[in-house]
Amino acid sequence: MLALQFFFNGLSSGSILVLLAIGFGLILATTGEFHMAHAATFVIGGFLGWLFSEAVGLNIYLSMVVVLLLGGVIGFLFNEVLYEPLRRRKASRLVILLASLGALTLLENVMALIFGINPLFFSKTALNNAVMQQPTVAGIQIVMFVGMVVLAAIAYLFLYNMPMGRAIRAVISSPFTSQVIGIETKKVQRAVYVLASALGCVAGMMMSIQSGTSPYNGTLFLINAAIAVLIGGIGSFWGAVVGALLLGLIQQYSILFFDTQWQTSITLLIFIIIILLRPSGLFSVQLRSKGV
Amino acid sequence: MNYILGVLTLILIYAILSLSLNLLIGYSGILSMAHAAVFGVGAYVTAILMERFGWSFIPALLVAMVAAGLISIAVALPSLRVSGDFFVVASFGTQFVLNDIYLNWSDVTGGAAGIPGIPPLDIFGWRITGQFSFVIVTAIFVALCYLAVRLLLRSPFGWNIEAVRQDEVATMASGRSPRNIKYMVSLVSGILAGVGGALFAVYMAYIDYSSFTLEMSIYFLTFVILGGVGTILGSFVGPLILVTVTELLTFLPLGSSAAILQQMVYGLILILLMFFRPQGILGRKL
């Protein structure tokens, strides 16, 4: 019984990680940029969701769609305001990472300043009520899983069937060759940031529906997602998905043996074991070693 | 007067941390997000040995240095085998894990209550209690750390560090292992952070998890970037400016949002520096 309960909990928390990991992984693979500020997108998603569904009173699903679209706008702005100017200055990867970290610190504190540091809860929605007893499953957990499947499927179809998706994959497999055959790297970078941020923003909103908004919880989720990407293999779509779901499940089942407060330690341990055994990740096609 | 001496002591302790983090970032190009946590290892080890076991400062300091050095290299060993990205993620993870340990392993770290009543600094029986003499002793430690780093960088091994910084591939081609050099740098960096932690513990006389959080890691990072990456002197300028600014901010009537505004300032400083002067005030090209 407990095992089944953990399965459902792991699947829903893993779904959040999947949405974050797909985006973070895409950005890392196409641009080589370690987009720390993705955690801020996640946090902002929670607050935007709260704003639309609680303060404005919009239907919760409609709010999710709005947050998804606004997430795309956030990604566009990240690319145009932060990263593109830095790229033009020929900033090193370390410089970009530090700027991203600065943006994360700035934005999460802007959110804290506007909305306060205490969690805001989604009271108007019935999604937190249980739809199933023993194991107890809340509506939002189902929304998380179904939402993840739908969004991941859309992202997959986009990457594998649309011209822009193909361009993205071309840049991932070889930035140089793709330029030679006339793919505009700038457009690809922009598209990747828009797509990733849309997914990350919705993930943040869904997480906040379950546990309330928080300006500072983004980093922990992002690092979990980053670990999922690295153990799945950078540049591998299925690697990110499977890595994130596995991580979500393992974190839940670890509760059987250890207190919940040691979840992060377990995650790090798994990360270290996997990179020791298979440094290129579980599903990786190739390993590109890039120093930060 | 005591207030100014207190601020000065903090600046000096943070200068040691800045120096040790600068070694990592500036000389081996690896970005650690766990520096506050490693600093915490030094502080907690010192606090526990002195308060619970009645050790005197110097032996406690030595153990703290070893412990912090070991933690630092334990992060580097698996992750640097792969790449810098892995190190960043592993160091974030380490920061979270150590934070969990400080907060939750109550039997040892005192949990949220922390460890109060840490005895004052003593050097072979000579107890240092006055603010002024503490500043002097801290300054001596800073000077020792400074000399140690200088000697290290001037030694043949230091040339290897510089070589890795300038061109990793060429270093490899000349038969040195950049990875081994980076391991050594993270070991030294950890040891220095341990010194900072030990001094912090005896200076504060009370420590809890809140001094060793991710926010503090970012704070230390801002020191290094502001002062200038890859310069020893920059490690002193960064804390000097930033601690002064932070202290001045506390005089403004900001109320409860003071901490938030402080964080916003650090974030903004990082972004602006990356845009307009990535090498920091005194630094070399990043």
Side-chain angles (χ1 to χ4, degrees):
Chain A
M1 195 78 271
L2 208 55
L4 207 58
Q5 178 74 59
F6 285 148
F7 180 73
F8 282 103
N9 292 355
L11 220 51
S12 57
S13 64
S15 298
I16 297 294
L17 290 183
V18 169
L19 291 176
L20 272 174
I22 291 176
F24 181 80
L26 266 180
I27 292 174
L28 188 61
T30 30
T31 65
E33 287 155 8
F34 199 96
H35 181 39
M36 265 318 293
H38 203 44
T41 312
F42 181 80
V43 166
I44 293 172
F47 285 109
L48 285 178
W50 183 86
L51 202 65
F52 286 111
S53 70
E54 292 294 308
V56 179
L58 218 59
N59 171 287
I60 193 95
Y61 298 105
L62 208 57
S63 307
M64 281 186 202
V65 175
V66 176
V67 168
L68 182 85
L69 297 176
L70 285 176
V73 176
I74 292 173
F76 178 80
L77 290 175
F78 266 128
N79 186 59
E80 299 302 311
V81 179
L82 190 66
Y83 296 116
E84 190 52 39
L86 285 172
R87 285 179 210 133
R88 246 179 293 165
R89 283 159 201 262
K90 305 251 180 300
S92 68
R93 299 190 68 219
L94 184 58
V95 168
I96 289 185
L97 171 51
L98 287 167
S100 188
L101 196 65
L104 167 63
T105 313
L106 179 67
L107 289 172
E108 61 183 13
N109 284 292
V110 168
M111 288 298 124
L113 197 65
I114 300 174
F115 295 99
I117 52 172
N118 296 323
L120 302 169
F121 292 100
F122 289 66
S123 54
K124 290 186 183 162
T125 164
L127 281 181
N128 277 319
N129 300 345
V131 289
M132 209 171 113
Q133 297 293 346
Q134 286 189 349
T136 316
V137 177
I140 181 63
Q141 288 181 286
I142 294 179
V143 172
M144 282 173 178
F145 183 70
V146 174
M148 180 276 285
V149 170
V150 171
L151 291 171
I154 293 174
Y156 184 82
L157 289 175
F158 171 73
L159 284 172
Y160 284 83
N161 288 300
M162 306 286 273
M164 180 48 93
R166 283 199 207 99
I168 292 174
R169 285 189 302 128
V171 174
I172 291 177
S173 67
S174 169
F176 179 71
T177 319
S178 59
Q179 239 171 357
V180 171
I181 61 166
I183 290 172
E184 286 180 75
T185 319
K186 275 189 184 175
K187 280 190 185 165
V188 169
Q189 286 165 334
R190 189 186 303 145
V192 164
Y193 272 97
V194 169
L195 175 67
S197 305
L199 298 182
C201 227
V202 179
M205 173 173 175
M206 294 199 288
M207 196 62 225
S208 297
I209 295 175
Q210 190 180 39
S211 47
T213 61
S214 156
Y216 299 118
N217 73 357
T219 317
L220 185 57
F221 277 93
L222 183 70
I223 291 307
N224 276 317
I227 288 178
V229 169
L230 297 183
I231 62 180
I234 299 172
S236 157
F237 182 87
W238 291 113
V241 173
V242 176
L245 282 177
L246 264 181
L247 210 56
L249 287 170
I250 292 172
Q251 283 180 343
Q252 281 298 319
Y253 281 107
S254 72
I255 300 175
L256 284 172
F257 310 100
F258 306 95
D259 277 346
T260 47
Q261 67 229 35
W262 303 115
Q263 270 185 6
T264 321
S265 317
I266 310 276
T267 314
L268 190 71
L269 199 67
I270 293 166
F271 173 61
I272 286 172
I273 291 171
I274 291 184
I275 60 174
L276 283 177
L277 297 177
R278 223 184 130 80
S280 51
L282 298 172
F283 293 81
S284 139
V285 210
Q286 55 174 347
L287 173 69
R288 270 188 283 161
S289 172
K290 300 175 195 157
V292 167
Chain B
M1 194 58 202
N2 265 351
Y3 170 73
I4 291 173
L5 286 177
V7 173
L8 197 61
T9 314
L10 266 189
I11 291 176
L12 286 171
I13 292 175
Y14 286 157
I16 298 180
L17 282 156
S18 193
L19 194 63
S20 78
L21 188 56
N22 208 335
L23 261 185
L24 263 189
I25 303 176
Y27 291 92
S28 57
I30 45 183
L31 184 67
S32 170
M33 296 306 302
H35 216 62
V38 177
F39 167 59
V41 170
Y44 271 103
V45 167
T46 310
I48 291 165
L49 288 179
M50 289 179 74
E51 198 262 339
R52 302 241 174 92
F53 298 98
W55 286 33
S56 62
F57 180 70
I58 296 293
L61 168 76
L62 292 176
V63 178
M65 285 162 70
V66 171
L70 286 180
I71 289 284
S72 184
I73 205 165
V75 186
L77 272 177
S79 56
L80 276 184
R81 277 181 69 220
V82 195
S83 80
D85 282 341
F86 284 68
F87 184 84
V88 174
V89 173
S91 69
F92 259 113
T94 311
Q95 172 68 49
F96 289 130
V97 168
L98 286 175
N99 229 42
D100 283 349
I101 291 177
Y102 299 150
L103 195 55
N104 297 322
W105 197 15
S106 312
D107 298 339
V108 174
T109 63
I115 303 178
I118 303 163
L121 177 64
D122 67 289
I123 290 171
F124 303 118
W126 175 43
R127 292 168 81 87
I128 291 144
T129 43
Q131 277 273 23
F132 188 70
S133 34
F134 196 92
V135 171
I136 300 292
V137 173
T138 315
I140 292 171
F141 272 103
V142 174
L144 287 176
C145 291
Y146 171 79
L147 280 178
V149 170
R150 229 182 127 84
L151 277 177
L152 179 80
L153 290 175
R154 295 277 164 94
S155 70
F157 179 70
W159 301 338
N160 284 340
I161 299 177
E162 180 62 29
V164 171
R165 198 187 72 82
Q166 287 189 4
D167 193 335
E168 218 169 290
V169 179
T171 317
M172 229 184 300
S174 62
R176 310 273 189 302
S177 155
R179 207 187 282 156
N180 287 348
I181 294 167
K182 287 182 180 181
Y183 292 153
M184 279 304 294
V185 173
S186 33
L187 179 68
V188 175
S189 162
I191 290 173
L192 287 178
V195 176
L199 285 169
F200 185 78
V202 283
Y203 170 63
M204 301 301 275
Y206 162 78
I207 54 167
D208 70 351
Y209 71 99
S210 66
S211 308
F212 314 110
T213 56
L214 181 63
E215 285 73 44
M216 289 308 283
S217 277
I218 295 175
Y219 190 43
F220 296 158
L221 200 61
T222 322
F223 287 156
V224 175
I225 307 296
L226 182 70
V229 165
T231 58
I232 300 186
L233 210 59
S235 311
F236 297 91
V237 177
L240 182 68
I241 296 177
L242 216 55
V243 172
T244 315
V245 169
T246 310
E247 290 301 324
L248 288 178
L249 277 177
T250 56
F251 286 114
L252 296 176
L254 298 171
S256 58
S257 48
I260 295 174
L261 287 168
Q262 248 178 45
Q263 293 285 322
M264 282 172 65
V265 170
Y266 303 149
L268 208 58
I269 289 178
L270 267 181
I271 300 177
L272 292 178
L273 279 171
M274 289 307 108
F275 267 85
F276 300 109
R277 206 175 158 78
Q279 69 273 42
I281 294 174
L282 297 173
R284 310 190 265 187
K285 197 172 180 310
L286 190 60

